[in-house]
Amino acid sequence: MDSTVFVATCDLAGLTRGRGVPERDLDEVLRRGVGWVPANLALTCFGGIAEENAFGSTGDLRLMPDAGAGVVLPETDGHPQVRLFLADQTLPDGEPWDCDPRTFARNALADLRERFGLEVVASFEHEFMLDGSEGTAPFSFARYRGAEPFGSDLVELLARTGLEPETWLPEYGEDQFEITLAPTSALVAADRAVLLKEIVRDLARRHGRRVTFAPLQTPNGGGNGVHVHLSLVDAATGRPVLFDEQRPGRLADLGARFAGGILAHARALTAITAPSPSSFLRLQPHRWSVGGIFLAERNREALVRICPTSAVGGGDPERQLNLEYRAADATANPWLVLGSLIRAGLAGLASGDQPPEVWPEDMADQQFDEILSLPANLSEALDELEKDTVVRDWFAPELLRTHLDVKRAELRAVEGLDPVDVCRKVADAY
């Protein structure tokens, strides 16, 4: 059976799109890329192009594959082998395109290194629903075994493709599972977040099962988030710089100021990191998602959580300490999420503002009244994005406009639906 090559990008709806070519053309494709169209950036999660977009029918691009950002999905059960490569969207002459989300992330990381001598180690945790697990208890061995042979095949495939799986577990929500990958350099982590979703979906199809990464399947059900873990290291030495035993939460001043930038721009950031019509139904207090805009030690209601460390078995707390951003989900573009969080952290480092308070792990309910809340819905978040001049300036004007156009088109597509039908429609898209 003939093998193919699929050259892909991830769009503003968080969906992977691209073009396939015969494997015999691999060398030429790696050298020259394949054609692409600017208006493809304006595709919504529901399939159509946002009618109001900056590009119309004009312009041309190239998808230039990164030979180091690819995986091989092996031939199985009548499904041919596919080489899937992630690509940069460039101008026809190969120069970077201002609206390419992967370039946006790469540029943010380069600025962090140039201005502060720092690099980022990251990991994206994904949750999703796998059908066929009804009647099994959260975190149970019964649910774990009920996912076989899909679960073992998934872990094996992720290992074979170099994505370094760490844990595979039955989660709290109905039919819910979580897969985590090992921390790695930040752009690679974002690439893996794109690839992971397609590997999971493809494997589920081959097993005759259905998955969704949507934030919610039902308004009151368990939600699927993407928790983004970030560590900062000295670019010259590789030494972690977030740990300080003497400070609140053992978070160094530099790390607290980085987190402060994320908090300061959180209401605008959520338009990038939780950008679907159902995302904000999940981001509410007492749902173990985000209860408000605050930094806390180990508290799973915090927007930014200082994750715990362990010295068991010789573990090194200095190398373990990391920040977890909790207001993201899989409807977002991982490159935009990463780049936006880095830009926000850069703003915090450069501001000279006092670092934010670290709220205690055992916050009382009345303390939540003192905390700024997230936007109530995507429409409000998009308005906050437009109002935040600092965040707005991170993006090329056409990229920002297209993001707003796509998200408002998605909102129009669910206008008049009740929350149950909104969740169902989004779940079908993801």
Side-chain angles (χ1 to χ4, degrees):
M1 194 173 296
D2 291 340
S3 300
T4 57
V5 174
F6 194 82
V7 182
T9 185
C10 183
D11 67 10
L12 300 181
L15 296 175
T16 303
R17 308 186 197 260
R19 290 189 174 182
V21 298
E23 189 171 21
R24 65 174 179 270
D25 297 332
L26 174 61
D27 290 343
E28 182 178 2
V29 167
L30 289 175
R31 187 175 67 254
R32 301 193 60 247
V34 297
W36 201 238
V37 178
N40 287 344
L41 192 69
L43 284 161
T44 76
C45 71
F46 302 124
I49 293 176
E51 291 184 6
E52 297 178 6
N53 72 80
F55 309 111
S57 59
T58 63
D60 287 282
L61 299 170
R62 302 295 290 178
L63 288 182
M64 294 299 299
D66 182 342
V71 295
V72 177
L73 302 181
E75 178 181 350
T76 55
D77 301 326
H79 294 78
Q81 174 181 289
V82 178
R83 294 182 182 271
L84 172 60
F85 289 97
L86 297 181
D88 296 322
Q89 299 177 66
T90 75
L91 300 175
D93 62 3
E95 288 298 305
W97 185 42
D98 286 346
C99 294
D100 176 42
R102 193 166 188 254
T103 299
F104 173 79
R106 184 186 292 110
N107 289 344
L109 292 163
D111 283 354
L112 180 66
R113 180 179 181 123
E114 180 179 341
R115 293 173 60 186
F116 292 96
L118 297 172
E119 291 181 343
V120 177
V121 175
S123 181
F124 289 63
E125 290 181 13
H126 281 85
E127 297 167 332
F128 60 89
M129 305 303 187
L130 174 69
D131 69 354
S133 303
E134 294 89 346
T136 54
F139 310 110
S140 68
F141 185 66
R143 182 180 297 177
Y144 177 82
R145 290 293 283 173
E148 296 291 17
F150 172 85
S152 294
D153 286 352
L154 175 60
V155 173
E156 179 185 358
L157 182 56
L158 291 172
R160 189 188 311 175
T161 53
L163 268 65
E164 298 184 277
E166 279 198 330
T167 60
W168 159 246
L169 64 144
E171 252 286 359
Y172 178 75
E174 183 178 355
D175 295 341
Q176 189 177 41
F177 291 83
E178 178 179 288
I179 186 77
T180 67
L181 305 178
T184 187
S185 57
L187 188 63
V188 172
D191 288 348
R192 288 178 176 181
V194 176
L195 293 168
L196 172 74
K197 290 187 289 184
E198 297 314 313
I199 289 172
V200 170
R201 290 184 179 119
D202 185 66
L203 184 64
R205 281 191 293 268
R206 289 189 275 123
H207 278 265
R209 303 187 73 165
R210 182 179 184 272
V211 299
T212 182
F213 287 86
L216 290 168
Q217 289 199 107
T218 60
N220 296 318
N224 294 318
V226 174
H227 301 153
V228 185
H229 292 260
L230 303 171
S231 297
L232 300 178
V233 300
D234 184 282
T237 66
R239 182 182 65 83
V241 299
L242 289 185
F243 186 81
D244 185 340
E245 186 73 57
Q246 306 306 314
R247 287 187 48 81
R250 301 187 298 171
L251 181 65
D253 177 75
L254 178 147
R257 288 189 288 121
F258 187 94
I262 295 173
L263 300 185
H265 299 288
R267 288 177 62 82
L269 279 173
T270 54
I272 302 294
T273 65
S276 85
S278 63
S279 292
F280 288 84
L281 296 172
R282 185 182 76 89
L283 296 176
Q284 297 178 6
H286 309 302
R287 293 197 61 151
W288 286 48
S289 57
V290 178
I293 300 172
F294 65 101
L295 170 68
E297 185 178 10
R298 297 189 292 269
N299 190 319
R300 287 176 174 81
E301 291 279 325
L303 177 73
V304 180
R305 183 174 77 111
I306 304 169
C307 293
T309 63
S310 172
V312 171
D316 181 359
E318 183 178 21
R319 294 197 170 274
Q320 295 172 33
L321 192 85
N322 67 90
L323 297 172
E324 178 189 45
Y325 177 81
R326 296 181 56 81
D329 62 49
T331 68
N333 180 300
W335 296 317
L336 284 189
V337 171
L338 175 67
S340 298
L341 292 176
I342 300 306
R343 289 290 178 197
L346 271 166
L349 292 174
S351 70
D353 294 342
Q354 282 291 106
E357 179 182 359
V358 177
W359 287 84
E361 183 177 7
D362 55 347
M363 288 176 61
D365 284 345
Q366 61 266 27
Q367 290 177 288
F368 279 97
D369 297 336
E370 306 171 29
I371 293 169
L372 185 65
S373 64
L374 291 178
N377 51 54
L378 178 59
S379 180
E380 186 177 324
L382 294 171
D383 291 343
E384 292 287 342
L385 176 58
E386 285 192 289
K387 288 192 301 186
D388 191 324
T389 57
V390 173
V391 176
R392 236 175 36 213
D393 287 347
W394 300 341
F395 300 93
E398 287 184 336
L399 175 56
L400 178 65
R401 175 185 162 185
T402 306
H403 183 80
L404 293 167
D405 289 342
V406 166
K407 297 305 152 188
R408 285 177 173 143
E410 291 174 353
L411 285 172
R412 286 193 295 274
V414 300
E415 195 170 10
L417 298 181
D418 65 26
V420 171
D421 288 332
V422 171
C423 289
R424 183 180 298 118
K425 189 174 179 68
V426 173
D428 286 344
Y430 289 94

